[in-house]
Amino acid sequence: MKQISAIIEQLDTALAGEWPDTAGIRQFSYSLQKQPDTGLLEWLSAQPCYPKFYWQQRDGNEEAAVCGDVCAFGNMSQAQAFIREHQDVPDLHLWGLNAFNADNDDADFAANALFLPRIELCRKGTTYWLRCTVFSSRSLRDEARRTRLFLRSLVASRDLPPIASRVIQHQHLPAQPQWNELISQALTCIEQQQFDKVVLARKTTLTLSQPLNACAFLAASREVNHHCYHFMLAFTPQQAFLGSSPERLFLRDHTELFTEALAGTVANHPDDDEAQALGEWLLNDGKNQRENLLVVDDICQRLQGGAHSLDVMPAEILRLRKVQHLRRSIHGELAEADDAGCLQRLQPTAAVAGLPRQAAREFIARYEPFDRQWYAGSAGYLSTEQSEFTVALRSAAVKGYQLELYAGAGIVAGSDAAQEWQEIENKAAGLRTLLEEHYTPAVQAG
Ligand SMILES: C=C(O[C@@H]1C=C(C(=O)O)C=C[C@H]1O)C(=O)O
Ligand SMILES: [Mg+2]
């Protein structure tokens, strides 16, 4: 990517100039003359700087690869306060993840990983640009010096390595017998009207023959898992959280809000006619319609007082590689542009927690045998004009030789434990099958 190195040289010259020894913020933006030789994910993979974050919008039109952190934020309110304080910097974007328990301040687990990157390489349609932000609450001069050092650590893009990790062993938590018990317990609570719906999940730990390259894995997923957001936060060379999710938590464009109820699932089929028949069944199935409508109810209730003119579109089928879903798009007008408010109202929706929210969350916290951490939280960005977050589903944590896959299913009256197990198997297959399909054995020496 010669263009990028030319831009970095230009940037370095700008940073070498006179800088005040005071607090401040400056942003530099350069457009690339043409499409870079390799993709953004390839570029990001090559960089030795952490954290790294990658995001691609589900229509494929917007993409960002960002790295290095100028500063990090403990929650959305802090991130939003920062954006508001610097409204004169029009393109300020903060990127990252919100944990499932985004409001849990005293958890051991860092609940939020939103940050202002040093470098952002972005694409919208066929337009590419590179952005660099220099920010300091003490000395811009020192920060400009640090940024120059950071730029020197950037390297040229290179092709992603093949996926050479094989699955040696797997472990489900809960295993199927415990899953069956959990579902019957949930169904009892539903019968007793403690709640109408609870979403229960499973963590599958795969032990691999060698550590997985998170960028290569996400690229493999992006190749085949269409109509999905693709996201990754890499904390270190061996630790990342990533996923390919079909679900939008929210898109805010000024004060316009776009969200959705995505719930209700059936398998996909490679044959179009078979897939269509399964889709027809889904549209007419009572249990799946109930699952979806409870999410519509939840979202509409949660938005009360914060948004008006809510429009709920008719149900449609979203066909993915391994599953198909019922989706109802929801559109509204916000009283004010308030992303922290949107997150607080919408995360977690009844698509990933349940209804009523509090009772369902308590059931999950008490009986689900693992901590969700980033799973079913959200991934995306916020900025003054626009913000967008996807629900962090169809996701996995890369931890050296281990890969933890997450999948859940909405339990409502009429749910059957064996069918819900099959549903989570199908959801997990979106990522899991990539390890088999892309397996290229290492060449034997000698
Ligand atoms: C919880 C997950 O997915 C959610 C649950 C669905 C369902 O139960 O039908 C469908 C889509 C998602 O809202 C997951 O993928 O882990
Ligand atoms: Mg379901």
Side-chain angles (χ1 to χ4, degrees), residues 333-380:
E333 192 65 39
L334 291 164
E336 56 168 336
D338 174 9
D339 297 324
C342 287
L343 186 84
Q344 215 245 326
R345 286 174 189 275
L346 294 174
Q347 186 186 304
T349 69
V352 298
L355 189 82
R357 182 193 278 188
Q358 198 46 34
R361 286 183 87 162
E362 278 164 22
F363 187 90
I364 293 166
R366 189 144 168 214
Y367 298 112
E368 210 173 65
F370 63 93
D371 187 354
R372 289 193 178 189
Q373 301 194 335
W374 308 112
Y375 164 69
S378 48

Side-chain angles (χ1 to χ4, degrees), residues 223-238:
E223 189 81 21
V224 295
N225 290 318
H226 303 147
H227 312 293
C228 288
Y229 294 88
H230 304 285
F231 60 90
M232 178 199 69
L233 179 61
F235 307 93
T236 69
Q238 303 234 327

Side-chain angles (χ1 to χ4, degrees), residues 197 262-266 282 288-289 291-292 324-326 423:
K197 173 176 179 179
L262 187 85
T265 306
V266 72
L282 184 61
N288 278 288
Q289 281 291 354
E291 245 184 282
N292 187 277
Q324 308 188 65
H325 293 305
L326 280 179
E423 183 171 317

Side-chain angles (χ1 to χ4, degrees), residues 248-251 256-262 292-293 295-300 303 307 309-314 316 327-333 346:
R248 168 183 278 161
L249 182 65
F250 69 86
L251 161 65
E256 244 187 305
L257 177 75
F258 300 86
T259 179
E260 65 195 24
L262 187 85
N292 187 277
L293 286 168
V295 181
V296 174
D297 281 357
D298 175 47
I299 291 177
C300 293
L303 287 174
S309 318
L310 287 185
D311 254 337
V312 181
M313 309 303 159
E316 56 184 343
R327 176 169 67 196
R328 285 185 171 85
S329 299
I330 300 172
H331 171 249
E333 192 65 39
L346 294 174

